[in-house]
Amino acid sequence: GGFLVIALTEVLKKLETERYNRKWNDLIFYQERNKILHKCFKGIDKDKFLTKVTKAYMAIIGNGKENIFCENSLELPDNWKAKTQMSINLNNFDVLLTNPPFGSKIKIKGDRILSQYHLGYKWSTKEGIMKKTDFLRNNQTPQTLFIERCLQLLRENGKMAIVLPEGLLGNPTQEYIRKFIFEN
């Protein structure tokens, strides 16, 4: 939750400045602050412990902890808990900051998850044109699927900052990832 905590801290500092500039009374300031705390910052993590730590940090800052969810964000959103589904929706975020798990030893396997992602399929080049095939990969790295999930979560013209392994967007064998990003 480090990205969330730092971002929320910065936004709340700017809100204090806004309060001073607009000469808001306490009631108006706390209404605006609560809108930000309860509606603007949301997070998902698969790790239950990290979710609890993030909720604790958010509570220390001022709240917002009810928008931190323990889910597998690569899972179909329809399979998330009802409360998560009510708060986290595809095509709904203006800004997305993420540091997905990555490493050569971590692989996502299985049709149930891979089949929901274009990047879960094999890609081939015919006549100089790269296209997705109808064949699922045996496995895929989570950071690759996270790119697609994050793009799904963003609104049109949304912005994303994602930590990725060096080379993921430059390796010739991963040209299909770049193509997918440019097209989406």
Side-chain angles (χ1 to χ4, degrees):
F3 288 157
L4 280 175
V5 171
I6 297 300
L8 179 56
T9 302
E10 290 302 312
V11 167
L12 291 177
K13 284 180 192 175
K14 288 183 181 195
L15 189 64
E16 283 284 350
T17 303
E18 195 73 13
R19 174 187 192 176
Y20 175 78
N21 291 339
R22 294 185 181 216
K23 297 179 177 32
W24 286 342
N25 64 30
D26 286 347
L27 178 62
I28 293 171
F29 172 72
Y30 285 107
Q31 285 173 339
E32 293 300 315
R33 186 174 182 272
N34 283 336
K35 278 186 214 172
I36 289 168
L37 289 169
H38 299 291
K39 293 182 181 178
C40 297
F41 286 83
K42 300 176 183 193
I44 293 181
D45 200 297
K46 187 177 178 180
D47 186 288
K48 195 172 192 169
F49 174 75
L50 293 177
T51 303
K52 287 180 180 181
V53 170
T54 301
K55 285 182 178 189
Y57 278 132
M58 296 294 277
I60 289 167
I61 292 172
N63 203 349
K65 63 182 177 139
E66 68 275 355
N67 288 323
I68 309 300
F69 303 97
C70 184
E71 300 280 0
N72 178 354
S73 58
L74 294 177
E75 182 63 71
L76 277 167
D78 291 344
N79 293 340
W80 294 341
K81 296 176 198 103
K83 189 174 178 186
T84 308
Q85 290 182 39
M86 288 174 28
S87 187
I88 309 279
N89 299 293
L90 302 181
N91 303 308
N92 199 38
F93 289 86
D94 295 313
V95 178
L96 198 144
L97 309 172
T98 186
N99 184 6
F102 53 84
S104 59
K105 294 182 182 179
I106 305 172
K107 300 286 186 196
I108 305 297
K109 298 177 182 180
D111 295 359
R112 187 175 51 80
I113 291 189
L114 291 175
S115 64
Q116 67 178 307
Y117 295 97
H118 293 283
L119 298 174
Y121 286 83
K122 294 178 182 179
W123 289 59
S124 68
T125 304
K126 284 187 182 176
E127 300 173 13
I129 298 172
M130 182 170 280
K131 286 188 167 186
K132 179 184 82 134
T133 70
D134 292 331
F135 301 103
L136 274 176
R137 296 177 158 278
N138 294 329
N139 59 61
Q140 182 59 281
T141 59
Q143 64 266 18
T144 301
L145 298 179
F146 266 93
I147 292 169
E148 186 169 347
R149 175 51 42 96
C150 291
L151 289 171
Q152 292 169 354
L153 288 165
L154 286 173
R155 285 187 177 145
E156 190 166 332
N157 298 316
K159 295 179 179 167
M160 173 174 52
I162 184 170
V163 177
L164 293 172
E166 186 177 354
L168 181 78
L169 299 178
N171 292 339
T173 59
Q174 296 171 321
E175 181 182 349
Y176 71 100
I177 298 170
R178 291 188 300 280
K179 179 176 174 53
F180 178 81
I181 291 170
F182 289 128
E183 289 178 353
N184 293 281

